[in-house]
Amino acid sequence: MEGELMEADIVVPSRLSFKKIQAYEKYPKGQSSSRRWKHLKQILQAENFQDLPPDLPTYVNIESPPSTQPCKRICDITGYEAPYVDPRTNLRYANAHVFKALRSLSSDQVHHYLSIRNAAVVLK
Amino acid sequence: MAFVSRIRRQTDYNTYPSSIPIVIDNGASYFRIGWAGETEPRVVFRNIVQRPRHKATGETVTIVGDLDPAMMKYFDCTRSGPRTPFDSNVVYQFEIMEYILDFAFDRLGANGSGIDHPILITECACNPVQSRSKMAELLFETYGVPAVAFGVDAAFSYKYNQLHGICKKDGIVLCPGFTTTHAIPFVDGEPIYKGSCRTNIGGYHVTDYLKQLLSLKYPFHSSRFTWEKAEDLKLEHCYIAPDYASEIRLFQEGTKEAEEKTRYWQLPWIPPPTEVLPSEEELARKAAIREKQGQRLRDMAEAKRLSKINEMDNQLTSLHFLLKQVDQVEEDDIPTFLSDTGYASRQELESTITKVTQSLRKARGEPKNEPAESEENTDSLNNEKYPLMNVPDDILTPEQLKDKRRQMFLKTTAEGRLRARQKRNEEELEKEKRNQLEEERRRENPESYLEEMQAQYKEVLERVEQKKRLKTNGSSNGNNKSGGVGRGERLSAAQRERMRLLTTAAFDRGKGEDTFGTKDEDWQLYKLMSKDNDDDDEQPDSDEAELARLSSRLQDIDPTFVQKVEGESSQTSGEVPRVRLLTEEDYKIVIGIERFRCPEILFHPNLIGIDQVGLDEMAGTSIRRLPHDEKEIEERLTSSILMTGGCSLLPGMKERLECGIRMIRPCGSPIDVVRAMDPVLDAWRGASAFAANLNFLGNAFTKTDYYEKGKTKINLENCHFITGINYNGLSVKQLQELRGILRENTNTKLLVAKNTLVYKALEGTKWESLKPCMKGMNAWLFVQSEDIPAALKTFINFQKEKKLYDNNLGGAVFEEKLYAPQDYKVIETMPSRADVYGMMLGSLHWPALDLVNALQAPTATENETVVA
């Protein structure tokens, strides 16, 4: 390795004296590591929360409920309050000026705007 | 700045005795590690790992935290980006976690064989047991730590601030973190997780929102808005609006205040190289070269022409000579005389001479023999030119008839040409007159004339565009709901009409009597259907000509006039047209509304499609969830609301929170929101203070605990019923089969373990009374569903099937009591699950609950000791 790199000391050494098992022994090269770990969804499914008494706090049931306040609608493009929805693109908009701009957007941009607020329809 | 990495290697690791715990705040954004009892963490870095390939050696290396851009050149980062061990706020990738811990311990200065210090590590509230046990496994087995305790960061932060008198013993901590926001109520200095709530939104989402909005607003520069840059912009410029609606109105109306609040970020802009005018000398030199080349070409052409003329002269003289000779020769001998020269007759020779003379004249540049005036005195010439015109057909020979027809044709074309020329002249005159008229008007009143022109131009432009739209779009009303470009929009009106005709024709066939073709108009249909039809409207129409005239006129008289590029009018004026060169203005990033629009999602998660309560409402939810009777406790809670976590650094947070919480609380209730002393580091400091307490080890989960009952303890979790089986003569195969059946049918685990080990695990729990059964060969059934009879039945059926009468059930425990086999025959023979629920519901629940509490003890009780 280059001298500068050694000096900067940014690379984690592969062998560390304080470890009982080294990482390269545990995770040999060539094995895909991303598959091995359960994602949060799978972890939660495996936890069997439904078998626990309902009043016990768990990761799932401490989740917040939906808001009771009226849903705020803001213009997807400008952030102004948006009284209108474009039926063609489903984007919210504030006024005629924005509407004009909105109609000139490419379908990619429209999709991007929608996906920001999780409203994009993803065809599978 | 609150977020600063500190990654210098520490040297004093060995001066700390092994009793001093190491404290880790394992946050989703930053990782902090240090020694218990100290006020500052020793090592702080971003909780990410990159595993790029080293360019020189090709090996994969591990780099934790931010990679110094100066070192970037040594690595090939194209294959893997930065990775985090977190999914939301839960650690799930323990390989990544291991690299991070490696780096952290290494930087802390560890160099012995193992980490011989107890460890306190933070985790999210109500961390799933799987994640926690994996973390324990990693710490115990890989690093050999003696003890591990877990705690919740927000709770530590609250306790730390309570210790310093910032908040009271009853209160709520609101912690907008990196990926999630928590609200946890405290009663008597103890966190009540029952009353906590979590919204899945945090600083990460704010930054991401900012990044997305900016890259949509400035598509040219989207590559500049990296996540790190957006994070910087957020930290520097974002604030929380006291009231979003009124703040946005300021910007919408374009007030001065809004202007002051707008920030600009000028990207480095290099003006495109301006065309440097070439110097006089250069110009002269170039002109000279061009002139020289032109001269040479001209010379060559001249030489060619001269040689041609010469040649033709020669030919002419020889022809004249020949003609003279022919004149001398006798009439009869002419053909024989001429046969050598290739001419058939004297006439032919003469015509050749005239032809050559003509071309010679042309070559010499002399005017044509018959100038245009011939057409002016047409009438007089007509009779000469077309001698057969007025002769009746009957007296003409067939040959003459042919000639007459030819003459007629020539005459009509000549007349047509003449008419066209006249018309052109007239038009020109007209145009001239109009121009003069306009010029006069312009001179009279230039301004109103210009205005008029412009209005006219606009009108015509509109008309032309309307026509164009109609052509491409049919009906130009945009009520096509399909969005985007449908089949209908791709075809022009004419094409669509053709499609319609074709389809009707296709469907009409065979319906009723076929009368097609009886009328002549029917056949017109095919003309309409044919493809050639489309080109009809391609010709420029009068409007377009008018438009061209107007625009050229406007260009003449108005220097500011810019002709609209085709199709541009449909584009917005705000958007930068592609054709225009980018100016400095385009490289200026305006950050106005985004400054408060992005953090607003903390209060209104539905803005980015997360349907959960916002930060202010979380306090109310938390109070509602907390089991309590008296009103007074609510007031005590709201009068001490602590905000901690990275996002509470945003300016305006305190005011907005107070305002928001006041809205959801009854009028007049006391509300006090305070910010933690250091929202980012207080969690670590609180944990450090807690770990420094002497009672700490009592709460920790030690290595002995882990090795002796660790695995079994994980089995105990969620368990409702344990029974022993005296197993004699069960073959391995049978055992496996039994395990499979039990797992499939009833979520029951069969464990074969040493009696002493099982007892160790059960010791001190409600299952302790199983002790008398710890004799002989035992297998243990852990029934993890409430359907106990089903599990027992499964086992008994298996027993009957395999005729294994030696393997009887031993004692079993539930409800803290030991049951002998004959006693719980009652349970076995119970009819169904529903009945079991009815009979035992109340009694079954509580041992399970207690067990979980025991497992979660390190979390739930950690803060008690601080108070004690």
Side-chain angles (χ1 to χ4, degrees):
Chain A
M1 284 212 187
E2 293 83 353
E4 196 190 351
L5 211 55
M6 295 298 282
E7 210 171 290
D9 189 24
I10 52 167
V11 174
V12 183
S14 60
R15 223 198 114 71
L16 291 160
S17 64
F18 53 80
K19 288 179 79 176
K20 299 260 190 273
I21 313 160
Q22 301 296 334
Y24 56 81
E25 294 170 273
K26 230 179 189 177
Y27 309 108
K29 232 179 175 180
Q31 277 184 18
S32 68
S33 52
S34 52
R35 281 288 164 90
R36 215 177 355 231
W37 305 109
K38 283 181 177 173
H39 285 267
L40 181 57
K41 251 187 189 163
Q42 295 165 297
I43 292 176
L44 294 179
Q45 253 164 21
E47 291 276 293
N48 290 324
F49 287 130
Q50 69 278 6
D51 295 342
L52 294 179
D55 55 348
L56 195 78
T58 63
Y59 189 84
V60 173
N61 67 17
I62 65 166
E63 191 130 356
S64 306
S67 175
T68 52
Q69 288 176 3
C71 180
K72 199 167 223 161
R73 291 182 199 285
I74 65 166
C75 173
D76 282 309
I77 294 160
T78 58
Y80 303 151
E81 278 181 83
Y84 316 110
V85 177
D86 173 22
R88 192 192 283 188
T89 58
N90 279 331
L91 286 176
R92 292 171 186 155
Y93 64 95
N95 50 41
H97 184 73
V98 178
F99 181 68
K100 218 169 174 185
L102 177 155
R103 275 294 165 91
S104 72
L105 293 177
S106 71
S107 63
D108 260 9
Q109 283 170 312
V110 168
H111 193 265
H112 199 163
Y113 271 118
L114 286 174
S115 64
I116 285 182
R117 64 175 161 90
N118 212 2
V121 181
V122 182
L123 295 173
K124 274 178 190 161
Chain B
M1 284 307 277
F3 296 96
V4 180
S5 292
R6 248 178 273 164
I7 54 165
R8 231 174 35 158
R9 197 188 301 272
Q10 306 294 310
T11 50
D12 53 356
Y13 181 84
N14 291 324
T15 62
Y16 288 86
S18 64
S19 59
I20 306 264
I22 293 174
V23 177
I24 297 171
D25 179 9
N26 188 20
S29 63
Y30 273 79
F31 185 98
R32 305 170 190 92
I33 187 169
W35 296 101
E38 295 185 358
T39 51
E40 289 293 318
R42 291 299 185 91
V43 180
V44 179
F45 53 88
R46 254 182 88 192
N47 218 339
I48 50 168
V49 171
Q50 296 182 72
R51 286 180 50 76
R53 206 171 276 271
H54 184 241
K55 271 182 186 162
T57 58
E59 61 183 324
T60 310
V61 295
T62 309
I63 292 169
V64 176
D66 275 320
L67 175 55
D68 184 358
M71 296 293 149
M72 205 71 166
K73 57 178 186 248
Y74 296 116
F75 301 106
D76 171 21
C77 296
T78 47
R79 289 240 186 133
S80 65
R83 284 188 282 169
T84 159
F86 287 85
D87 188 357
S88 186
N89 58 348
V90 173
V91 181
Y92 83 108
Q93 275 251 20
F94 284 89
E95 187 184 345
I96 308 284
M97 196 68 236
E98 189 173 329
Y99 295 133
I100 286 166
L101 287 169
D102 279 355
F103 180 74
F105 289 132
D106 184 41
R107 287 301 145 122
L108 201 61
N111 50 13
S113 61
I115 305 293
D116 196 18
H117 297 271
I119 285 188
L120 172 61
I121 185 165
T122 62
E123 58 174 21
C124 64
C126 301
N127 196 13
V129 179
Q130 202 257 8
S131 173
R132 183 184 300 162
S133 63
K134 279 263 192 263
M135 181 68 90
E137 183 187 312
L138 178 66
L139 288 169
F140 283 125
E141 290 186 3
T142 305
Y143 298 99
V145 299
V148 175
F150 295 95
V152 174
D153 50 353
F156 282 134
S157 182
Y158 189 88
K159 295 309 288 186
Y160 185 73
N161 282 286
Q162 189 194 339
L163 209 65
H164 287 80
I166 308 287
C167 47
K168 300 168 196 151
K169 68 181 168 55
D170 297 328
I172 300 174
V173 59
L174 288 175
C175 178
F178 187 63
T179 51
T180 50
T181 299
H182 281 99
I184 304 169
F186 277 73
V187 177
D188 285 330
E190 252 189 86
I192 313 290
Y193 290 104
K194 227 176 199 167
S196 63
C197 63
R198 182 191 68 242
T199 294
N200 296 323
I201 201 162
Y204 169 81
H205 300 92
V206 178
T207 305
D208 200 52
Y209 194 39
L210 180 65
K211 178 176 168 258
Q212 310 264 25
L213 286 180
L214 284 180
S215 50
L216 274 168
K217 194 166 157 192
Y218 299 99
F220 290 111
H221 309 301
S222 57
S223 62
R224 278 186 188 271
F225 304 116
T226 59
W227 200 89
E228 278 74 18
K229 185 68 211 176
E231 177 84 6
D232 283 352
L233 286 175
K234 176 186 86 174
L235 290 175
E236 203 170 331
H237 299 297
C238 281
Y239 67 94
I240 288 174
D243 176 29
Y244 185 79
S246 56
E247 191 84 2
I248 203 84
R249 224 163 289 133
L250 283 184
F251 278 83
Q252 200 164 2
E253 286 157 10
T255 57
K256 201 160 175 231
E257 209 175 327
E259 219 158 272
E260 280 163 12
K261 283 182 177 175
T262 307
R263 296 280 179 275
Y264 300 98
W265 173 29
Q266 181 66 56
L267 294 174
W269 177 72
I270 305 145
T274 44
E275 292 282 306
V276 183
L277 283 173
S279 63
E280 290 280 302
E281 210 175 307
E282 185 91 343
L283 276 176
R285 204 166 56 83
K286 270 188 184 162
I289 291 172
R290 214 173 304 132
E291 181 60 27
K292 222 165 149 188
Q293 280 171 340
Q295 191 56 48
R296 218 176 64 205
L297 282 175
R298 270 198 298 277
D299 287 349
M300 270 163 70
E302 185 60 30
K304 210 172 168 187
R305 197 172 67 94
L306 281 176
S307 75
K308 208 173 168 189
I309 287 171
N310 232 353
E311 196 180 306
M312 277 193 287
D313 256 343
N314 289 344
Q315 198 188 355
L316 203 62
T317 38
S318 69
L319 278 170
H320 277 299
F321 178 70
L322 194 65
L323 198 63
K324 254 179 220 157
Q325 276 187 330
V326 168
D327 283 342
Q328 287 161 12
V329 175
E330 298 265 323
E331 190 82 2
D332 296 344
D333 293 340
I334 289 173
T336 41
F337 176 76
L338 281 178
S339 65
D340 295 343
T341 56
Y343 295 101
S345 65
R346 196 190 148 88
Q347 280 89 346
E348 201 181 327
L349 195 61
E350 275 167 355
S351 74
T352 316
I353 289 173
T354 33
K355 243 185 229 162
V356 173
T357 329
Q358 263 177 16
S359 45
L360 187 64
R361 249 196 224 119
K362 205 173 158 193
R364 284 203 178 120
E366 282 165 27
K368 250 190 179 176
N369 213 2
E370 26 173 19
E373 73 253 24
S374 66
E375 283 164 40
E376 250 131 73
N377 45 2
T378 37
D379 269 351
S380 57
L381 275 173
N382 250 358
N383 287 339
E384 288 166 42
K385 267 181 119 181
Y386 314 115
L388 295 173
M389 275 301 282
N390 298 327
V391 184
D393 282 0
D394 350 339
I395 56 159
L396 291 172
T397 60
E399 222 160 272
Q400 278 174 321
L401 258 177
K402 220 189 243 170
D403 257 354
K404 184 186 172 183
R405 229 169 282 146
R406 200 173 58 87
Q407 281 174 5
M408 266 165 87
F409 172 72
L410 281 175
K411 194 187 165 201
T412 41
T413 43
E415 275 168 1
R417 235 180 282 142
L418 196 67
R419 265 201 301 277
R421 183 170 305 172
Q422 267 171 351
K423 205 176 165 193
R424 222 165 28 236
N425 283 345
E426 268 165 37
E427 258 172 32
E428 243 154 57
L429 270 174
E430 178 87 0
K431 210 172 170 182
E432 192 78 358
K433 237 198 277 174
R434 208 162 50 174
N435 275 356
Q436 265 174 8
L437 214 75
E438 280 187 359
E439 194 61 29
E440 264 168 44
R441 266 169 57 202
R442 191 175 77 86
R443 246 179 263 136
E444 270 169 36
N445 192 351
E447 269 157 43
S448 76
Y449 174 71
L450 190 64
E451 255 170 50
E452 197 183 311
M453 276 303 259
Q454 269 160 352
Q456 224 172 346
Y457 174 75
K458 224 171 168 181
E459 191 187 316
V460 177
L461 184 74
E462 203 111 294
R463 217 157 50 214
V464 168
E465 240 150 46
Q466 175 78 16
K467 208 172 273 174
K468 219 172 268 169
R469 263 207 300 279
L470 268 172
K471 210 153 81 183
T472 55
N473 212 1
S475 54
S476 65
N477 52 354
N479 59 2
N480 189 344
K481 273 210 180 170
S482 64
V485 190
R487 171 113 184 98
E489 294 191 23
R490 258 182 276 140
L491 300 174
S492 72
Q495 281 170 322
R496 259 191 302 172
E497 177 61 15
R498 202 173 74 229
M499 286 307 277
R500 194 188 65 77
L501 286 172
L502 283 172
T503 43
T504 42
F507 282 112
D508 265 357
R509 187 159 299 166
K511 244 190 252 170
E513 203 183 338
D514 189 4
T515 57
F516 185 84
T518 49
K519 277 177 284 174
D520 275 347
E521 296 93 82
D522 289 353
W523 302 103
Q524 287 290 316
L525 189 63
Y526 288 111
K527 205 180 160 205
L528 285 173
M529 276 186 194
S530 78
K531 264 199 173 149
D532 321 329
N533 210 15
D534 285 355
D535 310 329
D536 288 353
D537 37 7
E538 292 299 308
Q539 289 148 2
D541 52 43
S542 60
D543 272 341
E544 262 168 66
E546 175 78 0
L547 186 68
R549 189 186 71 79
L550 280 170
S551 68
S552 72
R553 178 91 185 121
L554 270 168
Q555 261 166 349
D556 285 345
I557 57 172
D558 184 7
T560 60
F561 173 76
V562 185
Q563 195 179 355
K564 284 218 174 178
V565 184
E566 204 170 318
E568 201 206 338
S569 63
S570 59
Q571 254 178 14
T572 155
S573 52
E575 211 83 11
V576 188
R578 234 156 264 265
V579 286
R580 192 157 65 79
L581 274 175
L582 292 181
T583 62
E584 192 170 4
E585 200 66 10
D586 295 322
Y587 278 79
K588 191 151 89 176
I589 307 298
V590 183
I591 304 166
I593 292 164
E594 289 83 2
R595 289 183 69 199
F596 60 92
R597 180 181 173 182
C598 297
E600 186 65 20
I601 60 172
L602 293 173
F603 291 88
H604 293 278
N606 66 29
L607 293 184
I608 56 162
I610 293 174
D611 194 18
Q612 287 188 311
V613 294
L615 199 52
D616 43 3
E617 270 186 279
M618 283 178 81
T621 309
S622 193
I623 293 171
R624 227 179 14 256
R625 282 188 177 176
L626 188 72
H628 62 283
D629 311 316
E630 69 271 52
K631 197 117 190 92
E632 186 234 357
I633 193 158
E634 290 186 11
E635 294 192 350
R636 264 191 290 148
L637 286 177
T638 55
S639 61
S640 166
I641 295 172
L642 181 83
M643 23 174 230
T644 181
C647 282
S648 39
L649 288 170
L650 287 162
M653 182 71 124
K654 179 174 145 55
E655 294 74 19
R656 176 65 186 272
L657 256 184
E658 239 169 39
C659 174
I661 294 170
R662 186 156 287 129
M663 288 215 293
I664 52 172
R665 297 299 306 157
C667 182
S669 30
I671 286 156
D672 189 19
V673 180
V674 285
R675 172 179 287 158
M677 291 186 294
D678 182 344
V680 177
L681 284 178
D682 277 355
W684 185 87
R685 292 186 182 127
S688 161
F690 171 69
N693 195 299
L694 282 179
N695 286 332
F696 169 68
L697 273 182
N699 288 313
F701 190 56
T702 64
K703 194 159 119 193
T704 5
D705 286 338
Y706 177 74
Y707 277 113
E708 290 194 355
K709 47 191 174 184
K711 298 275 154 106
T712 327
K713 207 154 180 173
I714 290 161
N715 279 338
L716 276 174
E717 171 229 342
N718 299 349
C719 196
H720 292 267
F721 186 82
I722 300 178
T723 179
I725 304 167
N726 309 313
Y727 80 94
N728 302 309
L730 260 177
S731 70
V732 176
K733 204 177 158 196
Q734 283 172 333
L735 202 65
Q736 272 174 348
E737 202 177 321
L738 179 59
R739 274 200 177 122
I741 293 174
L742 286 171
R743 202 179 315 119
E744 254 172 52
N745 292 1
T746 56
N747 198 17
T748 300
K749 278 184 187 145
L750 181 74
L751 179 82
V752 182
K754 275 193 164 182
N755 282 333
T756 43
L757 272 184
V758 174
Y759 183 66
K760 266 279 185 199
L762 301 182
E763 205 172 9
T765 66
K766 300 295 172 201
W767 313 96
E768 207 174 2
S769 43
L770 205 60
K771 195 176 179 184
C773 308
M774 306 277 172
K775 272 182 242 146
M777 296 272 276
N778 272 321
W780 304 94
L781 282 180
F782 294 82
V783 184
Q784 291 183 337
S785 74
E786 289 170 7
D787 208 356
I788 296 159
L792 293 177
K793 266 182 194 162
T794 312
F795 177 72
I796 288 161
N797 286 344
F798 181 81
Q799 201 184 11
K800 275 182 191 160
E801 203 179 298
K802 305 275 171 192
K803 308 203 162 40
L804 297 165
Y805 296 109
D806 288 344
N807 296 290
N808 275 322
L809 290 166
V813 170
F814 89 55
E815 229 184 90
E816 247 187 300
K817 267 188 252 159
L818 178 70
Y819 288 82
Q822 57 272 24
D823 293 332
Y824 66 80
K825 279 274 187 233
V826 193
I827 307 170
E828 281 172 37
T829 49
M830 270 181 195
S832 75
R833 187 190 168 109
D835 289 344
V836 179
Y837 268 130
M839 287 173 76
M840 301 192 292
L841 198 62
S843 56
L844 270 176
H845 274 311
W846 76 265
L849 171 65
D850 207 75
L851 240 177
V852 176
N853 279 350
L855 258 182
Q856 291 185 332
T859 341
T861 53
E862 77 221 340
N863 285 307
E864 284 172 38
T865 39
V866 181
V867 187

